[in-house]
């Protein structure tokens, strides 16, 4: 009888542990972007906008990069953050084709994430006149670093995968059952 009560309470505690861990594993993510994922644009944007499901901060000095055909890089100005929205001015130059917007942000739940949004430019973006080629004050020039491969929408960095927590919770429950079985057998 004692073992059944102990086993039931251990089971309830394990379920409560797993139920409490589930909300903690839910992380903020990219909700929308402008330009939108898969969009086909006839004219290049002058500003990009990323909207996330939770508050964000910028992960590094160069949080947004836009690259395209023929290793084209757009000039991205200083990004601004307003709670869940990141905006940055862009200066587009390059041929028609598929472009990739890559971002790096840090969420308030303490994890950093990077991701990408692909869109298509159906007409080439003309080079700016020589007088407007220099970035405005406060704007960073485009990076010449090659982009990292994309593994999906967002890739949490430094985050323990959910399956590890589930395996750990199951191990704790099994260990508790083993201890309970040994404890009840000694009393018999």
């Amino acid at each position: 009888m004692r073992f059944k009560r102990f086993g039931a309470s251990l089971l309830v505690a394990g379920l409560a542990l797993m139920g409490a861990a589930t909300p903690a594993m839910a992380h903020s993510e990219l909700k929308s972007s402008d330009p939108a994922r898969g969009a086909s644009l006839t004219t290049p944007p002058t500003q990009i906008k990323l909207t996330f499901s939770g508050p964000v901060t910028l992960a590094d000095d160069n949080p947004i990069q836009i690259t395209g055909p023929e290793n084209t890089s757009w000039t991205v100005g200083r990004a601004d953050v307003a709670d869940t929205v990141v905006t940055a001015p862009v200066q587009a130059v390059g041929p028609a084709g598929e472009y990739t917007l890559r971002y790096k942000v840090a969420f308030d739940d303490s994890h950093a994430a990077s991701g990408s949004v692909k869109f298509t430019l159906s007409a080439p973006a003309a080079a700016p006149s020589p007088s407007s080629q220099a970035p405005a004050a406060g704007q960073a020039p485009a990076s010449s670093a090659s982009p990292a491969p994309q593994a999906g929408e967002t890739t949490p960095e430094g985050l323990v995968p959910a399956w590890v927590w589930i395996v750990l919770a199951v191990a704790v429950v099994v260990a508790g059952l083993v201890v309970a079985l040994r404890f009840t057998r000694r009393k018999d």
Side-chain angles (χ1 to χ4, degrees):
M1 188 64 155
R2 283 178 130 182
F3 175 70
K4 286 183 181 179
R5 277 193 219 161
F6 182 72
S9 62
L10 190 60
L11 179 64
V12 169
L15 291 174
L17 174 68
M18 288 176 53
T22 303
M25 290 187 287
H27 294 288
S28 300
E29 60 187 22
L30 181 67
K31 282 178 40 178
S32 66
S33 64
D34 184 14
R37 181 177 312 283
S40 181
L41 308 174
T42 55
T43 59
T46 57
Q47 173 179 295
I48 61 100
K49 179 179 176 182
L50 304 171
T51 304
F52 296 89
S53 60
V56 296
T57 57
L58 300 177
D60 61 25
D61 292 338
N62 194 13
I64 299 170
Q65 299 174 351
I66 301 175
T67 56
E70 301 172 16
N71 293 323
T72 305
S73 290
W74 291 5
T75 302
V76 179
R78 187 176 66 82
D80 291 318
V81 179
D83 195 34
T84 61
V85 179
V86 176
T87 57
V90 294
Q91 190 175 60
V93 175
E98 184 178 71
Y99 285 81
T100 303
L101 181 158
R102 287 186 171 75
Y103 62 88
K104 294 177 188 174
V105 294
F107 295 105
D108 277 358
D109 62 1
S110 75
H111 84 275
S114 59
S116 63
V117 175
K118 292 184 183 263
F119 61 93
T120 303
L121 191 58
S122 60
S129 64
S131 63
S132 65
Q133 273 189 341
Q139 291 185 342
S143 170
S144 61
S146 60
Q150 163 186 331
E153 170 58 28
T154 52
T155 307
E157 297 171 4
L159 179 68
V160 178
W163 67 267
V164 172
W165 292 110
I166 293 169
V167 169
L168 183 62
V170 169
V172 167
V173 170
V174 169
L177 287 173
V178 168
V179 168
L181 282 172
R182 287 189 177 190
F183 185 64
T184 57
R185 285 188 181 165
R186 286 186 183 166
K187 289 196 172 201
D188 288 341

